Amino acid sequence: MQSIKLADGRHIPQVGFGTAAIGAMHQDDGYVKDTVLKAIEAGYRHLDTASFYGNERSVGQAVQESGIARKEFFITTKVWDTQQGYQSTLTALEQSLERLGTDYADLYLVHWPYPDKTRPTWQAMEKLHSEGLAKSLGLSNFRKTDIQQLLEFAEIKPVYNQLELHPYHTQPHLTEYCQSKGMVVSCWSPLGSGSWSGVAKEDKPIVADTIVTLAEKYQVSAGQIILKWDCQRQRIVIPKSESDDNIKANLQLDSFTLTDTELDQIDALNKNHRYGGDPDNAWQDNLNNPVPSR
Ligand SMILES: NC(=O)c1ccc[n+]([C@@H]2O[C@H](COP(=O)([O-])OP(=O)(O)OC[C@H]3O[C@@H](n4cnc5c(N)ncnc54)[C@H](OP(=O)(O)O)[C@@H]3O)[C@@H](O)[C@H]2O)c1
């Protein structure tokens, strides 16, 4: 599988499996484990989870049940807003690792910017990195101002920023800024979000004329067109699926290549439309939604 080299020298598979809200948000059971196991059997080795998803146990069980060596996987998890701060971040990763049944995270992210806590949170993450518990460090939903704040004191620079990014929200300026600072950009909700968002299919980019026309031209699905656009733009994608066909299709992106004109046509669909939280204020809501305690 195609991988991207991070600025710290480690490699991340370009297509990962998103695990938020498999079944439902905070669902952590045999259904989640079996879905992740199906993805592993289809070939995914990069799994994206978070303490807030409340499903780290099922994700970890799928990895163990697969019988595939831990070192073959790239597992990302994240520290939630209510866990930010120095000591609480140390504890948060310890708890995530216990739930995942692993000794380390391949990539540990600050899930959302919470500027008052960024410094102690990142300093704890640097300690976790020095202890080998978090192999790479990164961000999620960080705006340019949040990154500038962090770079003023960070001894270890972030190598990754996971953003809401799909054809209706392409974030060109932030993407360019992240890349100029050595961060790989990863796209969350790359297909226009899962059922957690309540967004109807007809409002998602997978039904946009440009995407559907390209899918017909290349005899692939609309989802594959969007994921290929991201990959050709050197971004990571972490689509989530519970359907056998989509799980497999989202990994099969090698049969076609979009032209530069077609990549530009998809860029042009941007309307700065978010389906999920806005980092300008998300931390305020997030503080009212703690990580499930199990
Ligand atoms: N950092 C953050 O703040 C943040 C926020 C949100 C999400 N995330 C991460 O990003 C991941 C993905 O985001 P998401 O789950 O919101 O949405 P998504 O991956 O954009 O979309 C998931 C939806 O698309 C459908 N789908 C999957 N493959 C498809 C295909 N080839 N063609 C058509 N439809 C397809 C799925 O249905 P089926 O199940 O029926 O295939 C599901 O309804 C999450 O799981 C999570 O890991 C991170």
Side-chain angles (χ1 to χ4, degrees):
M1 187 192 300
Q2 192 78 21
S3 67
I4 289 189
K5 191 173 180 184
L6 298 169
D8 61 11
R10 301 181 69 247
H11 288 82
I12 180 170
Q14 198 167 12
V15 181
F17 188 66
T19 67
I22 293 174
M25 193 58 90
H26 300 166
Q27 187 167 325
D28 198 14
D29 58 11
Y31 176 74
V32 180
K33 182 202 69 181
D34 289 345
T35 304
V36 177
L37 201 47
K38 261 195 305 197
I40 294 171
E41 283 162 2
Y44 292 83
R45 294 293 177 268
H46 166 184
L47 306 173
D48 183 86
T49 187
S51 57
F52 182 69
Y53 301 167
N55 62 10
E56 289 170 309
R57 285 194 196 283
S58 307
V59 172
Q61 281 164 12
V63 168
Q64 281 137 33
E65 240 176 73
S66 73
I68 297 167
R70 169 67 182 88
K71 64 179 169 43
E72 301 298 324
F73 288 92
F74 191 102
I75 301 177
T76 301
T77 192
K78 315 182 185 90
V79 56
W80 186 241
D81 303 49
T82 54
Q83 300 173 309
Q84 286 204 45
Y86 188 82
Q87 194 55 45
S88 45
T89 295
L90 298 179
T91 305
L93 184 61
E94 185 189 326
Q95 291 171 340
S96 283
L97 296 181
E98 184 274 321
R99 288 189 289 257
L100 285 162
T102 185
D103 295 337
Y104 64 92
D106 289 278
L107 178 59
Y108 199 38
L109 307 181
V110 189
H111 204 145
W112 287 91
Y114 179 5
D116 288 354
K117 300 272 184 165
T118 297
R119 188 177 187 128
T121 299
W122 192 257
Q123 287 173 336
M125 289 171 63
E126 289 176 332
K127 177 170 162 57
L128 292 163
H129 179 269
S130 73
E131 292 170 347
L133 301 176
K135 301 287 184 192
S136 294
L137 299 184
L139 310 170
S140 173
N141 299 303
F142 269 50
R143 302 158 295 182
K144 182 175 178 181
T145 50
D146 302 314
I147 297 167
Q148 287 169 325
Q149 178 199 4
L150 183 126
L151 292 180
E152 279 176 18
F153 59 80
E155 290 181 9
I156 300 174
K157 307 281 183 251
V159 296
Y160 173 109
N161 195 7
Q162 186 178 107
L163 307 173
E164 177 175 351
L165 201 155
H166 45 72
Y168 290 164
H169 195 50
T170 60
Q171 309 224 45
H173 301 299
L174 182 54
T175 296
E176 199 181 319
Y177 179 72
C178 290
Q179 290 168 342
S180 77
K181 295 294 174 191
M183 274 175 266
V184 169
V185 169
S186 171
C187 313
W188 64 256
S189 293
L191 304 172
S193 73
S195 56
W196 61 265
S197 68
V199 175
K201 185 178 174 188
E202 55 269 26
D203 295 328
K204 294 185 183 182
I206 45 172
V207 299
D209 287 347
T210 304
I211 305 291
V212 172
T213 303
L214 290 170
E216 283 164 6
K217 172 179 172 183
Y218 290 107
Q219 292 291 293
V220 294
S221 71
Q224 287 168 299
I225 294 291
I226 294 175
L227 298 175
K228 185 72 178 193
W229 163 70
D230 284 312
C231 288
Q232 287 185 234
R233 290 290 194 219
Q234 298 305 310
R235 299 187 286 256
I236 306 281
V237 282
I238 47 168
K240 166 259 171 189
S241 176
E242 295 167 47
S243 110
D244 290 0
D245 287 348
N246 288 342
I247 286 174
K248 288 182 190 139
N250 293 346
L251 268 188
Q252 289 162 2
L253 304 176
D254 291 339
S255 68
F256 65 105
T257 302
L258 299 166
T259 66
D260 288 345
T261 306
E262 290 163 350
L263 294 173
D264 292 344
Q265 284 169 352
I266 303 177
D267 290 340
L269 295 176
N270 183 37
K271 44 187 177 180
N272 299 324
H273 182 77
R274 289 185 191 278
Y275 294 116
D278 186 334
D280 284 351
N281 48 38
W283 63 271
Q284 293 164 356
D285 286 340
N286 294 345
L287 290 178
N288 295 320
N289 290 299
V291 169
S293 57
R294 30 166 209 266

